[in-house]
Amino acid sequence: MIDFRHKTFLELCKVRNYTKTAENLHMTQPAVTQHIKYLEQIYGGKLFIYSGKNLTITSKGKKLYEYTQRMIADSKKIEEMVISHNENITISFGATLTIGEFVMPSIISRVMKEKKNLHFNMFVENTKSLLLKLQSGEISFALLEGFFDKSKYGYKLFRKEQFISVCSSKSPLKNGKYALEELLNERLILREKGSGTRDILEQILHEVNLSKDNFKSIIEIGNMSAIKELVAQDLGITFMYKAAAQKDLVNSELYKINLDNFEVNREFNFVYLKDSVHENIYLKWFDLLSK
């Protein structure tokens, strides 16, 4: 179990106020101060300093924060393993929308048929939310389609997926070949901020000195099915991973727009806590899911 003084430290990192930390943890302010001083003695340096009236975490404090978060996540995993006693194992993980909705269902179905004692809790959220859940120990790993800081996490390439532009069966864009710039007169329907799909699109546009604001108009929607429905009704175009549009392409409800010099493939990554004591377990799950 994690030391109670580390829990005090984490709360102070969160609220940056000794009085508020004491209130949240139902303890006295001198006790909070005592806990922090104890940790500073153990780790040999200041964890917090005041910059004017603001409490700032030091570089040593930031390093301790990373290690403490990892300890909490590992402690939760050990607790789960002890409780399960290898009889029925529940794997809690996260996936970004495209992966969670269009890639994982068939994989989970296959694994559950092979491993009768496995149960899954899958959280489908954006990259930022899933990384927070990973750090807090709510999930063991995340399958991400978007960008993340690879220096801070352990990761393995899960698969590569083609990124395409699609239009309605009624759109003249379904025929011919176009330059990316020729799509700017269209209405762009895209995901909300923080989504992996949107991050990829904005990076691609940036690389050719364009942005989403160059399109005639924009609609932002957080639901992929709703986006595909609007595109199918010829109310705009969108960009997405081919996996998300596969069934619609086969059924001719959506068409891939043939773009000149636009062969984009991006990574889907299996992400876990770096240097975790359970890294070997996470990699076994990676092998199970990716085979």
Side-chain angles (χ1 to χ4, degrees), residues 107-124:
I107 293 176
I108 291 175
S109 175
R110 184 259 303 167
V111 172
M112 290 182 70
K113 290 176 182 177
E114 295 177 2
K115 307 289 184 180
K116 302 294 185 181
N117 66 323
L118 285 185
H119 304 278
F120 292 93
N121 288 332
M122 181 172 70
F123 297 84
V124 180

Side-chain angles (χ1 to χ4, degrees), residues 140-201:
S140 296
F141 59 88
L143 293 157
L144 305 181
E145 65 194 74
F147 300 106
F148 63 98
D149 189 342
K150 291 185 175 179
S151 68
K152 293 183 178 180
Y153 300 93
Y155 66 93
K156 286 181 72 68
L157 176 65
F158 190 66
R159 64 191 276 183
K160 285 193 173 183
E161 186 67 30
Q162 189 178 7
F163 194 75
I164 63 174
S165 179
V166 296
C167 66
S168 164
S169 61
K170 305 171 186 176
S171 172
L173 293 173
K174 73 176 186 179
N175 300 312
K177 194 169 188 177
Y178 302 89
L180 182 59
E181 290 79 3
E182 293 181 85
L183 302 185
L184 299 180
N185 289 325
E186 303 295 322
R187 178 185 292 112
L188 176 64
I189 306 174
L190 75 167
R191 290 279 309 283
E192 79 286 359
K193 290 182 179 179
S195 76
T197 301
R198 177 168 174 155
D199 287 343
I200 294 293
L201 174 59

Side-chain angles (χ1 to χ4, degrees), residues 66 70 73-74 94 127 130-131 134-135 139-144 146-158 267-283 286:
E66 293 176 7
R70 193 178 305 139
D74 285 340
T127 298
L130 292 177
L131 290 177
L134 186 63
Q135 291 164 11
I139 58 177
S140 296
F141 59 88
L143 293 157
L144 305 181
F147 300 106
F148 63 98
D149 189 342
K150 291 185 175 179
S151 68
K152 293 183 178 180
Y153 300 93
Y155 66 93
K156 286 181 72 68
L157 176 65
F158 190 66
E267 297 179 351
F268 287 177
N269 281 296
F270 179 99
V271 183
Y272 54 93
L273 287 180
K274 191 175 184 178
D275 300 325
S276 169
V277 297
H278 300 295
E279 181 174 4
N280 63 323
I281 296 175
Y282 301 148
L283 295 182
F286 168 82

Side-chain angles (χ1 to χ4, degrees), residues 28 39 77 83 118 126 154 156 181 228 244 257 266 290:
T28 65
L39 293 176
K77 179 52 57 184
I83 292 173
L118 285 185
N126 64 37
K156 286 181 72 68
E181 290 79 3
K228 291 195 294 181
I257 301 173
R266 286 295 187 268
S290 63

Side-chain angles (χ1 to χ4, degrees), residues 13-28:
C13 286
K14 178 181 177 181
V15 302
R16 305 294 175 91
N17 183 283
Y18 279 85
T19 301
K20 186 66 175 175
T21 297
E23 291 176 357
N24 291 350
L25 297 179
H26 306 291
M27 58 196 299
T28 65

